[in-house]
Amino acid sequence: QVHLVESGGGLVQPGGSLRLSCAASGTIYSVHAMGWYRQAAGKQRELVARISVGGDTNYGDTNYADSVKGRFTISEDSIKNTVYLQMNSLKSEDTAVYYCLVRVDLLGYGDESDYWGQGTQVTVSS
């Protein structure tokens, strides 16, 4: 099994910054991708940012939601199996529960499984 631990959420004023972290642990053959999603009240969960770290993808490839481009940066530490989301110039519309997602190959057979973090609340308000 894979266990994800998120941290870094909280309350911040508009224009402020936060850094989210998500550490994956467990018996993992390889991590293929890591990402962040968010879900605001009354809305569907949406992709915020994603980074490729293995498998059949190009290592380091990233993609971002248009609404966060230029403000958010995703990065990862392969040794620690940890993904980060640096969020700058935060806006009230960034308020949501943020979830990390890790796509892994557990046994080395090429089958991929997705695991979700428990979610961390980010509130942007004055």
Side-chain angles (χ1 to χ4, degrees):
Q1 276 292 352
V2 176
H3 184 54
L4 303 180
V5 177
E6 300 178 15
S7 61
L11 173 64
V12 64
Q13 292 186 343
S17 298
L18 282 175
R19 188 190 194 213
L20 305 182
S21 301
C22 175
S25 61
T27 303
I28 302 171
Y29 179 79
S30 64
V31 178
H32 290 182
M34 308 181 88
W36 291 94
Y37 288 70
R38 68 186 180 188
Q39 187 166 17
K43 295 187 177 181
Q44 291 188 332
R45 191 172 298 189
E46 63 175 1
L47 172 70
V48 177
R50 183 181 182 275
I51 186 166
S52 298
V53 297
D56 293 332
T57 59
N58 293 323
Y59 182 87
D61 278 357
T62 58
N63 59 293
Y64 294 90
D66 288 342
S67 59
V68 308
K69 285 180 180 177
R71 299 188 298 121
F72 291 11
T73 302
I74 189 170
S75 61
E76 56 81 31
D77 183 331
S78 296
I79 303 299
K80 297 179 180 180
N81 278 342
T82 299
V83 62
Y84 306 96
L85 185 68
Q86 178 65 44
M87 305 185 293
N88 298 328
S89 301
L90 282 159
K91 306 175 181 179
S92 58
E93 50 263 44
D94 295 317
T95 296
V97 178
Y98 284 69
Y99 298 90
C100 72
L101 172 70
V102 175
R103 177 162 293 172
V104 304
D105 177 355
L106 287 178
L107 301 177
Y109 298 146
D111 296 326
E112 294 181 327
S113 301
D114 290 343
Y115 292 86
W116 291 90
Q118 79 281 4
T120 185
Q121 177 69 46
V122 171
T123 302
V124 184
S125 175
S126 54

